[in-house]
Amino acid sequence: MARKCVGLLLSVTFVMMCPVVYSDYQFAREPRDQFIVVGNGSSDDSESFSLQCEVNYLYPNERVGWRKNGRFISINETILDLPGTDLVDSRRYTVDQQFYDCIGCGGRYTLNVTGVTPETAAMDSGKYQCATVYDDFQMDQYSMTAVVTIYAVPRQNHPLCRLSSATQYNISVATAPIAVVPYETLTFLCLSDPGFPPVNMSWSQRNRSRELQPSKVGQTSEGLSFIEYEWAPSNVLDMNAVFTCRVQQSSILQYDSECSIGPFIEGSDRTTYVPPISESSTVLAGSFIVITAVIINILINNIYRH
């Protein structure tokens, strides 16, 4: 918006007077959608994002604030304290404010969110808006809505398969085939980062079409999602059985990974043995899409900044 500034000499003070041209719409720049992927690496990975808002002018007693999911989270540079909500973390949310060099001309307000991790993905995702507001929190105008979508995918070595029994707590750490006590119930445990949106976990047996009914599902004290299945090998028909834990994420990423236990084998003494369990998992889909999504997001942000 073009303005013509006029210098006036009043007493000994030179004052810049910039007549503000008011239009119907206050925003020169509005926030844009963000697509962010976290995880798929170490648990220490973190990302950040910024949303920009540029205001042409401000009326008297008018300020600029950021709204998230319909509630104000900041006024000018101040992050609001919102107890009892998970809308904002004042340690990670900041607003950079840059005023234009004339009276009533508005400025640029950039919302910065740092330390975005799989644990904060749900909090930081949402709908963001920039708004002009009077001192009594009465809104004047608000910008277009920017949707920030954050996907948290499990680490590359997940899921992890574990096997235990009443007499042998953690068979999975063995380096050689372990004999299984006949008819003793075995517990298959599958562990994974929970992800966001949350992952779906299931156990299945090779050459069986249906999923196996889990004996327990939940989260560990370390925050990992888990699913258990119990099985007791009974006869030779159970030989060569392979059990697979599959972890899927029903989102645009289409994350799909698995780990397996087996095959169970019969030794010369007719004892059932289970081979060592590999620590690695097989990613069936998702890695290429994760990388592509990050690249596309970087390109979009660079185009927007320039």
Side-chain angles (χ1 to χ4, degrees):
M1 179 176 63
R3 298 179 179 83
K4 184 177 180 181
C5 296
V6 180
L8 298 179
L9 184 61
L10 302 178
S11 182
V12 293
T13 304
F14 189 76
V15 180
M16 292 300 293
M17 302 294 292
C18 302
V20 177
V21 180
Y22 294 106
S23 61
D24 291 335
Y25 199 57
Q26 290 180 272
F27 300 99
R29 176 175 289 188
E30 301 178 88
R32 301 292 182 89
D33 292 351
Q34 299 269 353
F35 181 92
I36 302 164
V37 179
V38 292
N40 203 236
S42 72
S43 58
D44 297 328
D45 286 347
S46 65
E47 300 290 340
S48 62
F49 66 90
S50 296
L51 298 172
Q52 293 191 359
C53 174
E54 194 168 345
V55 180
N56 285 322
Y57 61 87
L58 290 173
Y59 290 109
N61 300 321
E62 196 173 40
R63 296 176 291 173
V64 176
W66 280 97
R67 286 163 31 106
K68 178 182 177 185
N69 298 336
R71 293 189 61 177
F72 277 100
I73 61 172
S74 73
I75 294 295
N76 289 347
E77 290 183 303
T78 303
I79 299 297
L80 301 180
D81 183 19
L82 300 174
T85 74
D86 59 355
L87 288 176
V88 63
D89 181 350
S90 59
R91 296 168 299 179
R92 299 186 298 109
Y93 285 58
T94 60
V95 176
D96 290 337
Q97 179 179 267
Q98 295 177 299
F99 292 113
Y100 294 140
D101 294 330
C102 54
I103 299 173
C105 293
R108 180 178 296 177
Y109 302 79
T110 303
L111 175 65
N112 303 300
V113 181
T114 60
V116 181
T117 66
E119 291 72 27
T120 70
M123 169 187 285
D124 298 331
S125 296
K127 298 179 179 180
Y128 292 79
Q129 280 181 312
C130 179
T132 53
V133 59
Y134 293 103
D135 290 340
D136 58 0
F137 277 88
Q138 180 182 352
M139 273 201 307
D140 182 17
Q141 293 188 21
Y142 50 86
S143 70
M144 63 185 294
T145 299
V147 179
V148 175
T149 305
I150 302 174
Y151 291 109
V153 296
R155 281 168 282 180
Q156 293 176 351
N157 65 332
H158 284 203
L160 302 173
C161 283
R162 298 287 185 263
L163 179 64
S164 62
S165 67
T167 57
Q168 299 175 92
Y169 175 68
N170 197 349
I171 301 174
S172 58
V173 299
T175 58
I178 295 295
V180 177
V181 177
Y183 301 100
E184 182 178 39
T185 298
L186 301 176
T187 300
F188 298 85
L189 173 65
C190 181
L191 298 162
S192 174
D193 288 328
F196 184 79
V199 297
N200 297 313
M201 307 177 69
S202 63
W203 277 106
S204 63
Q205 185 176 348
R206 183 180 294 175
N207 301 325
R208 303 285 180 90
S209 58
R210 62 183 179 84
E211 291 184 2
L212 301 174
Q213 185 66 32
S215 57
K216 187 184 297 184
V217 295
Q219 279 200 330
T220 68
S221 58
E222 293 80 16
L224 296 177
S225 296
F226 75 85
I227 181 171
E228 286 186 358
Y229 172 69
E230 294 181 345
W231 178 71
S234 57
N235 53 47
V236 71
L237 295 178
D238 292 324
M239 295 305 102
N240 298 315
V242 177
F243 295 85
T244 299
C245 173
R246 189 170 186 179
V247 175
Q248 296 174 293
Q249 199 171 31
S250 56
S251 66
I252 191 173
L253 300 177
Q254 293 299 303
Y255 178 86
D256 197 341
S257 185
E258 64 181 28
C259 60
S260 298
I261 297 177
F264 287 79
I265 57 178
E266 184 181 19
S268 57
D269 56 356
R270 302 190 66 79
T271 300
T272 301
Y273 291 87
V274 60
I277 300 171
S278 172
E279 284 292 320
S280 62
S281 59
T282 302
V283 179
L284 305 178
S287 293
F288 174 76
I289 300 177
V290 168
I291 296 171
T292 303
V294 173
I295 293 174
I296 292 174
N297 190 47
I298 292 173
L299 290 174
I300 292 174
N301 286 335
N302 286 337
I303 292 172
Y304 177 60
R305 291 191 184 102
H306 293 86

